[in-house]
Amino acid sequence: MAGNGVGELIEQLPERFRGGPSDLAPGRFRLRVGRTVRDVVVAGGSCHVERSQGTPDTEIITDAETWAAIAQGRTSGIEAFAQGRLNIRGSIEASLRFEPLFERPRAGGLIHAMEEVSAGGLKFSTL
């Protein structure tokens, strides 16, 4: 996949944004897909894509072929990570919250969600 194709897939993320829980903390997710680097910023119930700047909450690193498979729903970030085709820098929990924020086709890839459960004054994240 050409570099422009990767950039276009990333730039389309706001159109596929489905949001998250009302108390979703703002986040900056840096996507490093081949030579393409963009930040996806989620805040206030919306998201946008911008050139990378500052320090992200998490960085997701993969190649163009793997990113295309994730965008097309043929695989998931979790599956790609388990196969060594995707790496994470920073918060793994933040990276797990990223993928469910976006619509993607059901084409065989794992679908997951993150939930927070409160118990005894503590908050637990569940996958």
Side-chain angles (χ1 to χ4, degrees):
M1 171 172 285
N4 285 348
V6 169
E8 289 171 13
L9 286 174
I10 294 170
E11 296 292 333
Q12 292 169 359
L13 285 172
E15 297 166 23
R16 296 179 28 221
F17 185 68
R18 58 196 277 185
S22 59
D23 61 347
L24 178 69
R28 176 175 292 273
F29 303 89
R30 180 152 303 144
L31 303 179
R32 214 172 267 285
V33 183
R35 287 183 262 153
T36 302
V37 181
R38 299 281 190 286
D39 284 2
V40 178
V41 180
V42 176
S46 66
C47 92
H48 66 275
V49 178
E50 59 186 42
R51 298 280 179 192
S52 62
Q53 61 183 342
T55 303
D57 296 297
T58 194
E59 188 170 8
I60 300 168
I61 306 151
T62 192
D63 58 72
E65 183 179 334
T66 301
W67 185 258
I70 292 169
Q72 295 164 0
R74 294 183 288 122
T75 194
S76 70
I78 292 173
E79 292 166 308
F81 180 83
Q83 296 165 357
R85 299 184 304 147
L86 183 144
N87 292 302
I88 304 296
R89 286 189 191 143
S91 171
I92 290 177
E93 183 175 352
S95 71
L96 287 169
R97 292 182 185 283
F98 182 75
E99 193 170 339
L101 295 173
F102 303 92
E103 295 287 340
R104 66 187 180 105
R106 293 186 181 257
L110 176 73
I111 303 291
H112 76 280
M114 292 283 294
E115 301 288 334
E116 280 194 357
V117 177
S118 295
L122 300 173
K123 280 190 175 180
F124 297 91
S125 295
T126 63
L127 178 62

